[in-house]
Amino acid sequence: MSTATVVKISAGQQEAQGLGDPSELGQQAWRALLRAQACMAKRLDAELERAHRLPMSSFEVLHHLARSPGGRMRMCDLAEQAQLSRSGLTRLVDRLEREGLLERCSCQHDARGAYACLTAGGRIRMEEARRTQLTVVTEHFSSRFSAQELSELAAMAERIAPCSGA
Amino acid sequence: MSTATVVKISAGQQEAQGLGDPSELGQQAWRALLRAQACMAKRLDAELERAHRLPMSSFEVLHHLARSPGGRMRMCDLAEQAQLSRSGLTRLVDRLEREGLLERCSCQHDARGAYACLTAGGRIRMEEARRTQLTVVTEHFSSRFSAQELSELAAMAERIAPCSGA
DNA sequence: TAAGATTGACGGCTCAATCTTC
DNA sequence: GAAGATTGAGCCGTCAATCTTA
């Protein structure tokens, strides 16, 4: 910022500096969220990887399977829940299957479809990892807000990406 | 959710369902944020790519350069701002340099260092893309909150990842 | 020795095309 | 033909090792 701008600060210049402009407020909030999310994701991913050899995307898949009835889900639904493309999920499931954490099962009513089914070992590994996840999310996220704030945060997030289920 | 759980809902069952457990509140908020951020990032990335052939990571780098005095930054500082590893930034800058959007300049005072310097063309491209970014962020994010809420969101995000500059 | 930047090797994701089944 | 799943090709990012300079 050149020294000249300091001389006189009109409303117009304030806008140019992004102090009074309402759209700038949105930008600041958006960038702050970007930073916060990247920061959290890196911490969580690193810790899950370190403690359980599970990247965050694998954890997410196991998590969604574990809370689904019977520990199984259709590939396409799982892809959507896990925020992955179908091919991305196919490959992730390949890896998890190789590790014995889940299995592919064919679908009775629709031979096109496939289920991903959590194995017993997968469920155990998942529950171990969940403790770590809870610790990290609590320490770096939940504990920094009141219950009221957490509710508000969730509600605000819903306005951006409405939750399909639940 | 099986029909049996509807019959009687005790406090314990509420916890099992994640309705009363305070740690579950944090989980819900965290997951809602994950979804919201992924959703926004995909929209924004797709639109920047479609309209300007600029992925979001490239836009971020150009953005930070554009608001830096002289349109130039040290590689290591830029990597930090853009949430990238150093090698990641090296490769991204390679691409942007090939496109003529920026140039590498050697550093006077420290021959180890390198600057990334926005070119005139890069600044133009950046400002075109900024309009698109503003549109998307406004429509899918800022416009869904009051000024008060945006301030609160930014402040809450700061609690997770304190902003180094500004 | 440490710090800035780059490179090689590799992992993981997406798009487009393909195969199978509805 | 449309939908679910997979495969091939390619992009983009990271880690670890390397090179240069402080």
Side-chain angles (χ1 to χ4, degrees):
Chain A
M1 191 146 314
S2 78
T3 52
T5 57
V6 181
V7 177
K8 191 174 69 175
I9 296 188
S10 70
Q13 280 174 341
Q14 268 196 9
E15 278 197 355
Q17 288 183 4
L19 297 177
D21 187 347
S23 83
E24 194 61 28
L25 196 58
Q27 287 287 315
Q28 284 172 6
W30 165 240
R31 287 192 178 283
L33 273 183
L34 262 189
R35 269 198 313 276
Q37 204 277 343
C39 181
M40 273 298 296
K42 274 174 190 172
R43 286 197 260 236
L44 188 48
D45 191 65
E47 189 59 16
L48 286 171
E49 181 79 61
R50 188 195 64 76
H52 309 278
R53 305 272 156 230
L54 275 181
M56 195 168 138
S57 56
S58 299
F59 176 81
E60 286 296 303
V61 162
L62 296 180
H63 165 82
H64 289 297
L65 280 181
R67 59 170 18 216
S68 180
R72 56 187 212 136
M73 287 181 74
R74 290 285 293 256
M75 291 292 284
C76 60
D77 299 330
L78 190 49
E80 195 178 8
Q81 290 281 320
Q83 307 268 13
L84 282 176
S85 67
R86 293 200 180 163
S87 54
L89 180 70
T90 291
R91 279 164 171 130
L92 182 45
V93 165
D94 285 345
R95 275 171 265 146
L96 296 175
E97 196 172 20
R98 246 176 267 134
E99 282 199 70
L101 301 179
L102 54 76
E103 287 171 346
R104 279 183 171 83
C105 311
S106 55
C107 179
Q108 302 287 2
H109 309 302
D110 186 344
R112 292 172 303 179
Y115 281 102
C117 310
L118 204 55
T119 62
R123 194 173 286 275
I124 291 172
R125 187 85 165 279
M126 164 66 205
E127 278 163 14
E128 292 168 351
R130 162 165 278 146
R131 274 179 242 135
T132 298
Q133 193 261 10
L134 196 68
T135 301
V136 174
V137 171
T138 299
E139 175 178 355
H140 296 292
F141 177 74
S142 317
S143 71
R144 307 191 181 191
F145 304 102
S146 68
Q148 171 73 15
E149 286 171 325
L150 287 174
S151 295
E152 286 167 4
L153 265 177
M156 290 199 265
E158 289 278 320
R159 280 189 239 170
I160 299 166
C163 186
S164 34
Chain B
M1 192 142 321
S2 80
T3 52
T5 58
V6 181
V7 176
K8 191 175 69 175
I9 297 189
S10 69
Q13 280 174 340
Q14 269 196 8
E15 278 198 355
Q17 288 183 2
L19 298 177
D21 187 347
S23 83
E24 194 61 27
L25 196 59
Q27 286 286 314
Q28 284 173 4
W30 166 240
R31 286 191 179 283
L33 273 183
L34 263 188
R35 268 199 313 276
Q37 204 276 342
C39 180
M40 272 298 297
K42 274 173 190 172
R43 287 197 261 236
L44 189 48
D45 193 64
E47 189 59 16
L48 285 171
E49 181 78 60
R50 188 196 65 75
H52 307 279
R53 305 270 157 232
L54 276 181
M56 195 168 139
S57 56
S58 298
F59 175 81
E60 285 297 301
V61 162
L62 296 181
H63 164 82
H64 289 299
L65 280 181
R67 63 173 10 222
S68 179
R72 55 188 214 137
M73 286 181 74
R74 290 285 294 255
M75 292 291 284
C76 60
D77 299 330
L78 190 49
E80 194 178 7
Q81 290 280 321
Q83 307 267 16
L84 282 176
S85 68
R86 293 200 180 162
S87 54
L89 180 69
T90 291
R91 281 167 168 126
L92 182 45
V93 165
D94 285 346
R95 276 171 264 147
L96 296 175
E97 196 172 20
R98 246 176 267 134
E99 281 199 70
L101 302 179
L102 55 75
E103 288 172 344
R104 279 183 171 84
C105 311
S106 55
C107 178
Q108 302 288 359
H109 310 302
D110 186 344
R112 291 171 305 180
Y115 281 102
C117 309
L118 204 56
T119 62
R123 193 174 286 275
I124 291 172
R125 187 85 165 278
M126 165 65 207
E127 279 163 16
E128 291 167 352
R130 162 164 279 145
R131 275 178 241 134
T132 297
Q133 193 261 10
L134 196 68
T135 301
V136 174
V137 171
T138 299
E139 175 178 354
H140 296 290
F141 178 74
S142 318
S143 70
R144 309 191 180 190
F145 304 101
S146 68
Q148 171 73 14
E149 287 172 325
L150 287 173
S151 294
E152 285 166 5
L153 265 177
M156 290 200 265
E158 289 277 320
R159 280 188 240 170
I160 298 166
C163 186
S164 35

